[in-house]
Amino acid sequence: MGLFGRKTSSTASTATLDPAAPAPVAVDPALAALSGTYTIDPAHSSIGFTVRHAMVTNVRGSFAEHEGTLTLDGADPAASSASIDVKIASVDTGIADRDAHLRSADFFDAEQFPLMTFRSTGARALGGDTYRITGDLTIKGVTRPLSIDLEFNGTATDPYGNQRVGFEGGAEILRSEWGLTWNAALETGGVMVSDKVKLTFDISAIKSA
Protein backbone atom coordinates (compact mmCIF):
# COMPACT_ATOMS: atom_id res chain seq x y z
CA MET A 1 0.00 0.00 0.00
CA GLY A 2 1.34 3.44 -0.90
CA LEU A 3 2.09 6.31 1.43
CA PHE A 4 -1.28 7.92 0.80
CA GLY A 5 -3.23 4.68 0.36
CA ARG A 6 -6.59 4.10 1.97
CA LYS A 7 -8.46 0.94 2.82
CA THR A 8 -12.19 0.41 3.02
CA SER A 9 -13.67 -0.39 6.42
CA SER A 10 -14.89 -3.98 6.67
CA THR A 11 -18.09 -3.02 8.51
CA ALA A 12 -20.68 -0.58 7.21
CA SER A 13 -21.95 2.11 9.55
CA THR A 14 -25.44 1.41 10.89
CA ALA A 15 -26.12 5.12 10.58
CA THR A 16 -25.84 4.96 6.78
CA LEU A 17 -29.34 4.51 5.40
CA ASP A 18 -28.72 5.57 1.81
CA PRO A 19 -27.37 2.56 -0.13
CA ALA A 20 -25.89 4.93 -2.71
CA ALA A 21 -23.77 6.71 -0.10
CA PRO A 22 -20.01 6.07 -0.33
CA ALA A 23 -18.66 3.41 1.98
CA PRO A 24 -16.75 4.73 5.00
CA VAL A 25 -12.99 4.61 4.71
CA ALA A 26 -10.35 4.15 7.37
CA VAL A 27 -6.83 5.47 7.10
CA ASP A 28 -4.07 2.97 7.81
CA PRO A 29 -2.58 4.15 11.18
CA ALA A 30 0.95 3.31 10.00
CA LEU A 31 0.53 5.61 7.01
CA ALA A 32 -1.22 8.34 8.96
CA ALA A 33 1.76 8.36 11.35
CA LEU A 34 3.95 9.56 8.47
CA SER A 35 1.95 12.78 8.14
CA GLY A 36 3.99 15.82 9.04
CA THR A 37 6.65 18.24 7.86
CA TYR A 38 9.96 16.92 6.56
CA THR A 39 13.19 18.79 5.83
CA ILE A 40 15.14 17.65 2.79
CA ASP A 41 18.58 16.32 3.74
CA PRO A 42 20.93 17.71 1.05
CA ALA A 43 23.76 15.40 2.12
CA HIS A 44 21.67 12.36 1.13
CA SER A 45 19.62 13.84 -1.72
CA SER A 46 20.38 14.79 -5.30
CA ILE A 47 18.77 17.04 -7.90
CA GLY A 48 20.19 16.39 -11.32
CA PHE A 49 19.71 16.79 -15.06
CA THR A 50 20.60 15.09 -18.32
CA VAL A 51 20.86 16.86 -21.67
CA ARG A 52 21.86 15.65 -25.13
CA HIS A 53 25.18 17.07 -26.38
CA ALA A 54 26.14 17.36 -30.06
CA MET A 55 23.23 15.08 -30.97
CA VAL A 56 25.22 11.96 -30.02
CA THR A 57 25.75 11.71 -26.27
CA ASN A 58 24.40 12.81 -22.91
CA VAL A 59 25.87 15.23 -20.39
CA ARG A 60 24.80 14.74 -16.79
CA GLY A 61 25.00 17.25 -13.99
CA SER A 62 23.62 18.10 -10.60
CA PHE A 63 23.18 20.95 -8.14
CA ALA A 64 25.17 20.40 -4.97
CA GLU A 65 23.37 23.02 -2.88
CA HIS A 66 19.64 22.87 -2.32
CA GLU A 67 17.12 22.98 0.49
CA GLY A 68 13.43 22.35 0.89
CA THR A 69 10.52 20.97 2.83
CA LEU A 70 7.85 18.35 2.25
CA THR A 71 4.50 18.40 4.03
CA LEU A 72 2.93 14.95 3.83
CA ASP A 73 -0.69 14.13 4.61
CA GLY A 74 -1.26 10.39 4.88
CA ALA A 75 -5.05 10.82 4.91
CA ASP A 76 -5.37 13.28 2.03
CA PRO A 77 -2.65 13.37 -0.65
CA ALA A 78 -4.09 16.54 -2.16
CA ALA A 79 -3.14 18.34 1.05
CA SER A 80 0.53 17.40 0.69
CA SER A 81 3.02 19.95 -0.61
CA ALA A 82 6.66 20.52 -1.52
CA SER A 83 8.95 23.53 -1.63
CA ILE A 84 12.51 23.41 -3.00
CA ASP A 85 15.19 26.06 -3.52
CA VAL A 86 18.25 25.21 -5.64
CA LYS A 87 21.41 27.35 -5.72
CA ILE A 88 22.32 27.76 -9.40
CA ALA A 89 25.99 28.51 -8.68
CA SER A 90 26.36 24.99 -7.31
CA VAL A 91 25.86 23.39 -10.76
CA ASP A 92 28.36 20.59 -11.32
CA THR A 93 28.91 18.61 -14.53
CA GLY A 94 32.46 17.57 -13.70
CA ILE A 95 34.05 20.09 -16.11
CA ALA A 96 34.94 23.48 -14.60
CA ASP A 97 34.81 25.43 -17.89
CA ARG A 98 31.41 23.97 -18.76
CA ASP A 99 30.07 24.76 -15.29
CA ALA A 100 31.26 28.36 -15.65
CA HIS A 101 29.47 28.61 -19.00
CA LEU A 102 26.26 27.28 -17.43
CA ARG A 103 26.49 29.90 -14.68
CA SER A 104 26.99 32.69 -17.23
CA ALA A 105 24.32 34.83 -18.90
CA ASP A 106 24.32 32.45 -21.88
CA PHE A 107 22.47 29.95 -19.69
CA PHE A 108 21.34 30.41 -16.07
CA ASP A 109 22.84 33.87 -15.38
CA ALA A 110 23.49 32.80 -11.78
CA GLU A 111 24.63 36.26 -10.67
CA GLN A 112 21.28 37.86 -11.52
CA PHE A 113 19.11 34.78 -10.85
CA PRO A 114 20.82 32.84 -8.05
CA LEU A 115 17.96 30.42 -7.32
CA MET A 116 15.85 27.89 -9.14
CA THR A 117 12.66 27.23 -7.18
CA PHE A 118 9.75 24.82 -7.17
CA ARG A 119 6.51 25.45 -5.27
CA SER A 120 3.86 22.75 -5.46
CA THR A 121 0.23 23.53 -6.15
CA GLY A 122 -1.25 20.02 -6.01
CA ALA A 123 -0.58 16.32 -5.46
CA ARG A 124 -2.35 13.10 -6.30
CA ALA A 125 -1.81 9.35 -6.17
CA LEU A 126 -1.26 7.58 -9.50
CA GLY A 127 -1.44 4.08 -8.08
CA GLY A 128 0.82 1.89 -6.00
CA ASP A 129 3.67 3.95 -4.61
CA THR A 130 3.68 6.54 -7.42
CA TYR A 131 2.52 10.13 -7.00
CA ARG A 132 2.35 13.23 -9.18
CA ILE A 133 3.32 16.59 -7.74
CA THR A 134 2.29 19.62 -9.78
CA GLY A 135 3.57 23.10 -9.19
CA ASP A 136 5.45 26.15 -10.43
CA LEU A 137 9.09 25.92 -11.51
CA THR A 138 10.97 29.21 -11.67
CA ILE A 139 14.24 29.48 -13.60
CA LYS A 140 15.93 32.72 -14.66
CA GLY A 141 12.89 34.74 -13.57
CA VAL A 142 10.44 32.69 -15.64
CA THR A 143 7.72 30.69 -13.86
CA ARG A 144 5.95 27.85 -15.64
CA PRO A 145 3.94 24.80 -14.50
CA LEU A 146 5.71 21.48 -13.99
CA SER A 147 4.54 18.00 -13.05
CA ILE A 148 6.93 15.60 -11.31
CA ASP A 149 6.21 11.88 -10.98
CA LEU A 150 7.73 10.44 -7.81
CA GLU A 151 7.97 6.94 -6.37
CA PHE A 152 7.77 6.56 -2.59
CA ASN A 153 10.79 4.46 -1.53
CA GLY A 154 9.68 3.94 2.05
CA THR A 155 10.47 5.18 5.53
CA ALA A 156 13.11 4.34 8.12
CA THR A 157 14.53 5.50 11.44
CA ASP A 158 18.24 6.21 11.09
CA PRO A 159 20.90 5.51 13.79
CA TYR A 160 20.41 9.04 15.15
CA GLY A 161 16.69 8.56 15.75
CA ASN A 162 15.57 10.61 12.74
CA GLN A 163 12.47 9.42 10.89
CA ARG A 164 13.22 9.56 7.17
CA VAL A 165 11.16 9.20 4.00
CA GLY A 166 12.52 8.72 0.51
CA PHE A 167 11.24 9.61 -2.95
CA GLU A 168 12.76 9.40 -6.42
CA GLY A 169 11.49 10.42 -9.82
CA GLY A 170 11.78 12.92 -12.59
CA ALA A 171 10.31 15.15 -15.25
CA GLU A 172 11.15 16.50 -18.70
CA ILE A 173 11.21 20.15 -19.71
CA LEU A 174 12.05 22.24 -22.76
CA ARG A 175 14.70 24.63 -21.49
CA SER A 176 13.73 27.25 -24.07
CA GLU A 177 10.42 27.71 -22.25
CA TRP A 178 12.40 29.10 -19.31
CA GLY A 179 14.56 31.40 -21.42
CA LEU A 180 17.56 29.06 -21.70
CA THR A 181 18.03 29.39 -25.45
CA TRP A 182 21.79 29.46 -26.08
CA ASN A 183 22.95 27.04 -28.76
CA ALA A 184 25.42 26.49 -31.58
CA ALA A 185 24.83 24.87 -34.97
CA LEU A 186 26.79 21.78 -35.97
CA GLU A 187 28.42 21.45 -39.39
CA THR A 188 26.77 18.06 -39.78
CA GLY A 189 23.34 19.44 -38.92
CA GLY A 190 21.55 19.77 -35.64
CA VAL A 191 22.63 21.77 -32.60
CA MET A 192 25.17 21.53 -29.81
CA VAL A 193 22.69 21.31 -26.91
CA SER A 194 19.23 19.75 -27.04
CA ASP A 195 16.19 21.72 -25.96
CA LYS A 196 14.82 18.78 -23.98
CA VAL A 197 16.24 18.33 -20.49
CA LYS A 198 15.51 15.43 -18.15
CA LEU A 199 15.32 16.37 -14.47
CA THR A 200 15.94 13.78 -11.77
CA PHE A 201 15.13 13.86 -8.06
CA ASP A 202 16.37 11.49 -5.36
CA ILE A 203 15.13 12.84 -2.05
CA SER A 204 15.74 11.84 1.56
CA ALA A 205 13.87 13.99 4.06
CA ILE A 206 13.84 14.05 7.87
CA LYS A 207 10.67 14.55 9.88
CA SER A 208 10.84 17.85 11.73
CA ALA A 209 7.26 18.34 12.95
Side-chain angles (χ1 to χ4, degrees):
M1 182 182 294
L3 171 65
F4 302 123
R6 294 186 177 187
K7 61 182 182 181
T8 303
S9 173
S10 59
T11 57
S13 169
T14 56
T16 302
L17 301 179
D18 182 359
V25 293
V27 177
D28 186 330
L31 300 177
L34 296 180
S35 296
T37 300
Y38 293 76
T39 300
I40 294 175
D41 176 8
H44 298 94
S45 302
S46 65
I47 297 176
F49 60 89
T50 302
V51 62
R52 182 76 72 177
H53 177 262
M55 310 294 290
V56 297
T57 190
N58 290 316
V59 169
R60 293 175 174 83
S62 62
F63 296 93
E65 298 181 43
H66 53 269
E67 61 183 19
T69 58
L70 308 176
T71 302
L72 306 181
D73 190 323
D76 181 8
S80 299
S81 62
S83 174
I84 301 174
D85 293 341
V86 177
K87 186 174 290 187
I88 293 296
S90 70
V91 65
D92 181 8
T93 64
I95 303 296
D97 287 347
R98 182 166 57 207
D99 296 343
H101 192 198
L102 289 172
R103 289 191 291 267
S104 76
D106 280 348
F107 284 95
F108 288 110
D109 196 356
E111 184 173 348
Q112 184 174 355
F113 304 100
L115 292 179
M116 173 172 61
T117 66
F118 178 77
R119 300 289 184 267
S120 69
T121 56
R124 66 186 179 94
L126 298 181
D129 289 326
T130 304
Y131 304 89
R132 177 164 294 163
I133 306 298
T134 57
D136 295 324
L137 177 67
T138 300
I139 305 174
K140 207 173 181 179
V142 177
T143 300
R144 293 184 58 86
L146 177 70
S147 293
I148 305 171
D149 288 353
L150 296 170
E151 182 178 356
F152 174 55
N153 287 338
T155 181
T157 301
D158 67 23
Y160 304 100
N162 299 311
Q163 183 178 4
R164 291 178 177 268
V165 293
F167 293 88
E168 65 177 315
E172 290 188 355
I173 67 171
L174 298 178
R175 61 187 179 90
S176 60
E177 294 184 344
W178 278 267
L180 304 173
T181 57
W182 183 91
N183 227 321
L186 301 175
E187 291 184 4
T188 53
V191 292
M192 181 71 74
V193 185
S194 69
D195 193 17
K196 183 171 70 175
V197 180
K198 296 179 181 179
L199 303 177
T200 57
F201 304 87
D202 200 342
I203 302 297
S204 178
I206 298 171
K207 193 171 188 178
S208 56

